[in-house]
PDB file of all heavy atoms in Angstrom:
ATOM      1  N   ALA L 138       3.111  40.148  71.377  1.00 97.00           N
ATOM      2  CA  ALA L 138       1.863  39.392  71.579  1.00 97.00           C
ATOM      3  C   ALA L 138       1.238  39.658  72.944  1.00 97.00           C
ATOM      4  O   ALA L 138       0.160  39.120  73.240  1.00 97.00           O
ATOM      5  CB  ALA L 138       2.145  37.901  71.432  1.00 97.00           C
ATOM      6  N   HIS L 139       1.925  40.451  73.782  1.00 96.00           N
ATOM      7  CA  HIS L 139       1.433  40.784  75.124  1.00 96.00           C
ATOM      8  C   HIS L 139       1.256  39.539  75.988  1.00 96.00           C
ATOM      9  O   HIS L 139       0.247  39.390  76.698  1.00 96.00           O
ATOM     10  CB  HIS L 139       0.114  41.565  75.040  1.00 96.00           C
ATOM     11  CG  HIS L 139       0.203  42.801  74.199  1.00 96.00           C
ATOM     12  ND1 HIS L 139       0.932  43.918  74.548  1.00 96.00           N
ATOM     13  CD2 HIS L 139      -0.342  43.081  72.971  1.00 96.00           C
ATOM     14  CE1 HIS L 139       0.839  44.841  73.598  1.00 96.00           C
ATOM     15  NE2 HIS L 139       0.078  44.362  72.641  1.00 96.00           N
ATOM     16  N   VAL L 140       2.232  38.647  75.912  1.00 96.00           N
ATOM     17  CA  VAL L 140       2.239  37.454  76.758  1.00 96.00           C
ATOM     18  C   VAL L 140       3.637  37.305  77.355  1.00 96.00           C
ATOM     19  O   VAL L 140       4.586  37.966  76.934  1.00 96.00           O
ATOM     20  CB  VAL L 140       1.869  36.174  75.964  1.00 96.00           C
ATOM     21  CG1 VAL L 140       0.462  36.267  75.390  1.00 96.00           C
ATOM     22  CG2 VAL L 140       2.896  35.903  74.861  1.00 96.00           C
ATOM     23  N   ALA L 141       3.755  36.406  78.327  1.00 96.00           N
ATOM     24  CA  ALA L 141       5.066  36.138  78.916  1.00 96.00           C
ATOM     25  C   ALA L 141       5.915  35.322  77.956  1.00 96.00           C
ATOM     26  O   ALA L 141       5.391  34.545  77.143  1.00 96.00           O
ATOM     27  CB  ALA L 141       4.890  35.378  80.228  1.00 96.00           C
ATOM     28  N   LYS L 142       7.230  35.485  78.067  1.00 96.00           N
ATOM     29  CA  LYS L 142       8.138  34.701  77.226  1.00 96.00           C
ATOM     30  C   LYS L 142       7.908  33.210  77.435  1.00 96.00           C
ATOM     31  O   LYS L 142       7.954  32.416  76.484  1.00 96.00           O
ATOM     32  CB  LYS L 142       9.582  35.073  77.557  1.00 96.00           C
ATOM     33  CG  LYS L 142      10.616  34.360  76.700  1.00 96.00           C
ATOM     34  CD  LYS L 142      12.020  34.813  77.060  1.00 96.00           C
ATOM     35  CE  LYS L 142      13.067  34.058  76.266  1.00 96.00           C
ATOM     36  NZ  LYS L 142      14.448  34.489  76.642  1.00 96.00           N
ATOM     37  N   MET L 143       7.623  32.803  78.672  1.00 96.00           N
ATOM     38  CA  MET L 143       7.377  31.397  78.957  1.00 96.00           C
ATOM     39  C   MET L 143       6.129  30.892  78.246  1.00 96.00           C
ATOM     40  O   MET L 143       6.053  29.717  77.855  1.00 96.00           O
ATOM     41  CB  MET L 143       7.258  31.172  80.465  1.00 96.00           C
ATOM     42  CG  MET L 143       7.121  29.708  80.863  1.00 96.00           C
ATOM     43  SD  MET L 143       7.123  29.461  82.648  1.00 96.00           S
ATOM     44  CE  MET L 143       8.803  29.941  83.035  1.00 96.00           C
ATOM     45  N   THR L 144       5.149  31.762  78.057  1.00 96.00           N
ATOM     46  CA  THR L 144       3.940  31.365  77.333  1.00 96.00           C
ATOM     47  C   THR L 144       4.287  30.984  75.902  1.00 96.00           C
ATOM     48  O   THR L 144       3.794  29.991  75.370  1.00 96.00           O
ATOM     49  CB  THR L 144       2.911  32.504  77.335  1.00 96.00           C
ATOM     50  OG1 THR L 144       2.546  32.807  78.683  1.00 96.00           O
ATOM     51  CG2 THR L 144       1.658  32.109  76.549  1.00 96.00           C
ATOM     52  N   VAL L 145       5.153  31.761  75.277  1.00 96.00           N
ATOM     53  CA  VAL L 145       5.577  31.460  73.906  1.00 96.00           C
ATOM     54  C   VAL L 145       6.266  30.108  73.855  1.00 96.00           C
ATOM     55  O   VAL L 145       5.944  29.257  73.016  1.00 96.00           O
ATOM     56  CB  VAL L 145       6.512  32.558  73.362  1.00 96.00           C
ATOM     57  CG1 VAL L 145       6.996  32.191  71.958  1.00 96.00           C
ATOM     58  CG2 VAL L 145       5.805  33.901  73.338  1.00 96.00           C
ATOM     59  N   THR L 146       7.221  29.886  74.755  1.00 96.00           N
ATOM     60  CA  THR L 146       7.981  28.637  74.713  1.00 96.00           C
ATOM     61  C   THR L 146       7.158  27.439  75.164  1.00 96.00           C
ATOM     62  O   THR L 146       7.438  26.312  74.755  1.00 96.00           O
ATOM     63  CB  THR L 146       9.249  28.753  75.574  1.00 96.00           C
ATOM     64  OG1 THR L 146       8.900  29.120  76.915  1.00 96.00           O
ATOM     65  CG2 THR L 146      10.186  29.801  74.999  1.00 96.00           C
ATOM     66  N   ASN L 147       6.150  27.650  75.989  1.00 95.00           N
ATOM     67  CA  ASN L 147       5.263  26.539  76.366  1.00 95.00           C
ATOM     68  C   ASN L 147       4.471  26.040  75.171  1.00 95.00           C
ATOM     69  O   ASN L 147       4.281  24.832  74.994  1.00 95.00           O
ATOM     70  CB  ASN L 147       4.310  26.970  77.481  1.00 95.00           C
ATOM     71  CG  ASN L 147       4.973  27.003  78.839  1.00 95.00           C
ATOM     72  OD1 ASN L 147       6.036  26.412  79.033  1.00 95.00           O
ATOM     73  ND2 ASN L 147       4.362  27.705  79.788  1.00 95.00           N
ATOM     74  N   TYR L 148       3.995  26.960  74.352  1.00 95.00           N
ATOM     75  CA  TYR L 148       3.238  26.579  73.166  1.00 95.00           C
ATOM     76  C   TYR L 148       4.153  26.122  72.033  1.00 95.00           C
ATOM     77  O   TYR L 148       3.787  25.239  71.236  1.00 95.00           O
ATOM     78  CB  TYR L 148       2.386  27.759  72.681  1.00 95.00           C
ATOM     79  CG  TYR L 148       1.138  28.005  73.498  1.00 95.00           C
ATOM     80  CD1 TYR L 148       0.950  29.217  74.159  1.00 95.00           C
ATOM     81  CD2 TYR L 148       0.145  27.038  73.606  1.00 95.00           C
ATOM     82  CE1 TYR L 148      -0.195  29.455  74.907  1.00 95.00           C
ATOM     83  CE2 TYR L 148      -1.005  27.266  74.359  1.00 95.00           C
ATOM     84  CZ  TYR L 148      -1.170  28.476  75.006  1.00 95.00           C
ATOM     85  OH  TYR L 148      -2.298  28.711  75.740  1.00 95.00           O
ATOM     86  N   PHE L 149       5.329  26.732  71.950  1.00 94.00           N
ATOM     87  CA  PHE L 149       6.239  26.462  70.837  1.00 94.00           C
ATOM     88  C   PHE L 149       7.660  26.252  71.372  1.00 94.00           C
ATOM     89  O   PHE L 149       8.439  27.201  71.440  1.00 94.00           O
ATOM     90  CB  PHE L 149       6.225  27.617  69.832  1.00 94.00           C
ATOM     91  CG  PHE L 149       4.873  27.892  69.233  1.00 94.00           C
ATOM     92  CD1 PHE L 149       4.045  28.864  69.776  1.00 94.00           C
ATOM     93  CD2 PHE L 149       4.435  27.163  68.137  1.00 94.00           C
ATOM     94  CE1 PHE L 149       2.796  29.111  69.226  1.00 94.00           C
ATOM     95  CE2 PHE L 149       3.189  27.407  67.578  1.00 94.00           C
ATOM     96  CZ  PHE L 149       2.364  28.378  68.130  1.00 94.00           C
ATOM     97  N   PRO L 150       7.998  25.021  71.764  1.00 93.00           N
ATOM     98  CA  PRO L 150       9.338  24.755  72.280  1.00 93.00           C
ATOM     99  C   PRO L 150      10.445  25.082  71.276  1.00 93.00           C
ATOM    100  O   PRO L 150      11.561  25.412  71.677  1.00 93.00           O
ATOM    101  CB  PRO L 150       9.305  23.253  72.599  1.00 93.00           C
ATOM    102  CG  PRO L 150       7.857  22.945  72.812  1.00 93.00           C
ATOM    103  CD  PRO L 150       7.122  23.840  71.862  1.00 93.00           C
ATOM    104  N   ARG L 151      10.137  24.986  69.996  1.00 94.00           N
ATOM    105  CA  ARG L 151      11.110  25.334  68.959  1.00 94.00           C
ATOM    106  C   ARG L 151      10.663  26.607  68.252  1.00 94.00           C
ATOM    107  O   ARG L 151       9.499  26.725  67.838  1.00 94.00           O
ATOM    108  CB  ARG L 151      11.240  24.202  67.925  1.00 94.00           C
ATOM    109  CG  ARG L 151      11.790  22.924  68.499  1.00 94.00           C
ATOM    110  CD  ARG L 151      11.966  21.861  67.448  1.00 94.00           C
ATOM    111  NE  ARG L 151      12.910  22.265  66.402  1.00 94.00           N
ATOM    112  CZ  ARG L 151      13.570  21.401  65.642  1.00 94.00           C
ATOM    113  NH1 ARG L 151      13.404  20.099  65.807  1.00 94.00           N
ATOM    114  NH2 ARG L 151      14.408  21.840  64.718  1.00 94.00           N
ATOM    115  N   LYS L 152      11.561  27.541  68.119  1.00 96.00           N
ATOM    116  CA  LYS L 152      11.240  28.809  67.466  1.00 96.00           C
ATOM    117  C   LYS L 152      10.744  28.579  66.042  1.00 96.00           C
ATOM    118  O   LYS L 152       9.830  29.266  65.566  1.00 96.00           O
ATOM    119  CB  LYS L 152      12.474  29.709  67.459  1.00 96.00           C
ATOM    120  CG  LYS L 152      12.261  31.066  66.800  1.00 96.00           C
ATOM    121  CD  LYS L 152      13.563  31.857  66.754  1.00 96.00           C
ATOM    122  CE  LYS L 152      13.418  33.126  65.927  1.00 96.00           C
ATOM    123  NZ  LYS L 152      14.700  33.848  65.758  1.00 96.00           N
ATOM    124  N   GLU L 153      11.324  27.596  65.338  1.00 95.00           N
ATOM    125  CA  GLU L 153      10.939  27.335  63.949  1.00 95.00           C
ATOM    126  C   GLU L 153       9.454  27.017  63.816  1.00 95.00           C
ATOM    127  O   GLU L 153       8.828  27.333  62.798  1.00 95.00           O
ATOM    128  CB  GLU L 153      11.746  26.173  63.376  1.00 95.00           C
ATOM    129  CG  GLU L 153      13.242  26.403  63.349  1.00 95.00           C
ATOM    130  CD  GLU L 153      13.921  25.838  64.565  1.00 95.00           C
ATOM    131  OE1 GLU L 153      13.431  26.091  65.690  1.00 95.00           O
ATOM    132  OE2 GLU L 153      14.927  25.121  64.397  1.00 95.00           O
ATOM    133  N   ASP L 154       8.885  26.382  64.842  1.00 92.00           N
ATOM    134  CA  ASP L 154       7.492  25.961  64.741  1.00 92.00           C
ATOM    135  C   ASP L 154       6.513  27.114  64.943  1.00 92.00           C
ATOM    136  O   ASP L 154       5.308  26.948  64.727  1.00 92.00           O
ATOM    137  CB  ASP L 154       7.211  24.832  65.730  1.00 92.00           C
ATOM    138  CG  ASP L 154       7.969  23.562  65.351  1.00 92.00           C
ATOM    139  OD1 ASP L 154       8.291  23.411  64.155  1.00 92.00           O
ATOM    140  OD2 ASP L 154       8.246  22.745  66.236  1.00 92.00           O
TER     141      ASP L 154
END
Side-chain angles (χ1 to χ4, degrees):
H139 305 292
V140 298
K142 182 178 177 181
M143 185 175 293
T144 299
V145 177
T146 56
N147 282 342
Y148 283 119
F149 301 95
R151 296 183 61 157
K152 180 184 172 185
E153 299 95 312
D154 293 335

